[in-house]
Amino acid sequence: MSTSTAQEMRAAYRGAMARFTTGVTIVTTMTPSGPAGMTASAVASVSLDPLMLLVCVGNTLATRDAISASGVFAVSVLAQDQEQHAMRFASRCDDKFAGMGLRTDHDLPVVDGAVAFFACNVQEEIPGGDHTIFIGEVVSCGYSVDSDPLVYFGGRFGNLCDPGSHAHLAFEWQLAASQ
């Protein structure tokens, strides 16, 4: 797709980025009035020495100001059955944390049942257009080996496909059908 105007370029950019499969996370922090959080897919590893990752947060979001003020954040990588959490934290509802299973790691809210989590101290805030890029040093992390992540592609949530298990199921189906 070729573009000529700035508006066409933005539309093409959004469409092209929608073809990039990402994991789905909830980024949280603590404020004096309680927890703050948002859904994010712009999360990436930065460094192994020291351990660092980045999150990109929209400049108009309250979570952006909360992370900047607190100097800490957590990233919970959502499991494939946690789409409702992603939707809730992507909305502007009053209490995103109501009724959620949470645990605290380094005094930060972490989503129960998440595939992985990272607790971070903010090392740097970098302006990035209409977002702020927070680079955090990881002070704690963990993961589950028994769950699969929620993924996002083409404006939809999904999950990983294990071709090996599909091939095995197809073989069993064909075997059963031939008997």
Side-chain angles (χ1 to χ4, degrees), residues 108-170:
L108 291 166
V110 173
V111 177
D112 269 343
V115 171
F117 81 92
F118 306 87
C120 301
N121 292 329
V122 174
Q123 295 300 303
E124 195 169 351
E125 289 181 39
I126 303 168
D130 59 2
H131 282 65
T132 298
I133 303 161
F134 289 97
I135 297 179
E137 183 172 9
V138 178
V139 295
S140 179
C141 63
Y143 62 94
S144 168
V145 295
D146 296 328
S147 59
D148 289 324
L150 181 64
V151 297
Y152 193 70
F153 175 81
R156 294 186 311 262
F157 293 106
N159 54 35
L160 297 177
C161 175
D162 177 8
S165 67
H166 285 284
H168 181 73
L169 291 172

Side-chain angles (χ1 to χ4, degrees), residues 4 9 16 41 51 54 58 60 75 89 92 99 110 119 122 141 152-153 156-157 166 179:
S4 58
M9 184 62 175
S41 58
L51 299 174
L54 67 78
T60 62
V75 176
F89 278 78
R92 297 203 183 255
V110 173
V122 174
C141 63
Y152 193 70
F153 175 81
R156 294 186 311 262
F157 293 106
H166 285 284
Q179 294 177 354

Side-chain angles (χ1 to χ4, degrees), residues 26-38 62-75 89 97 107-110 120 122:
I26 292 178
V27 177
T28 57
T29 193
M30 286 301 291
T31 72
S33 59
M38 57 169 261
T63 303
R64 184 248 169 265
D65 294 336
I67 293 171
S68 185
S70 71
V72 294
F73 63 90
V75 176
F89 278 78
F97 294 89
D107 298 323
L108 291 166
V110 173
C120 301
V122 174

Side-chain angles (χ1 to χ4, degrees), residues 40-61:
S41 58
V43 176
S45 174
V46 173
S47 170
L48 286 174
D49 187 18
L51 299 174
M52 299 176 95
L53 62 76
L54 67 78
V55 297
C56 299
V57 181
N59 290 335
T60 62
L61 299 176

Side-chain angles (χ1 to χ4, degrees), residues 1-5 7-16 19:
M1 171 179 217
S2 178
T3 59
S4 58
T5 69
Q7 184 176 1
E8 290 172 335
M9 184 62 175
R10 279 191 296 276
Y13 179 79
R14 288 178 64 92
R19 279 25 179 210

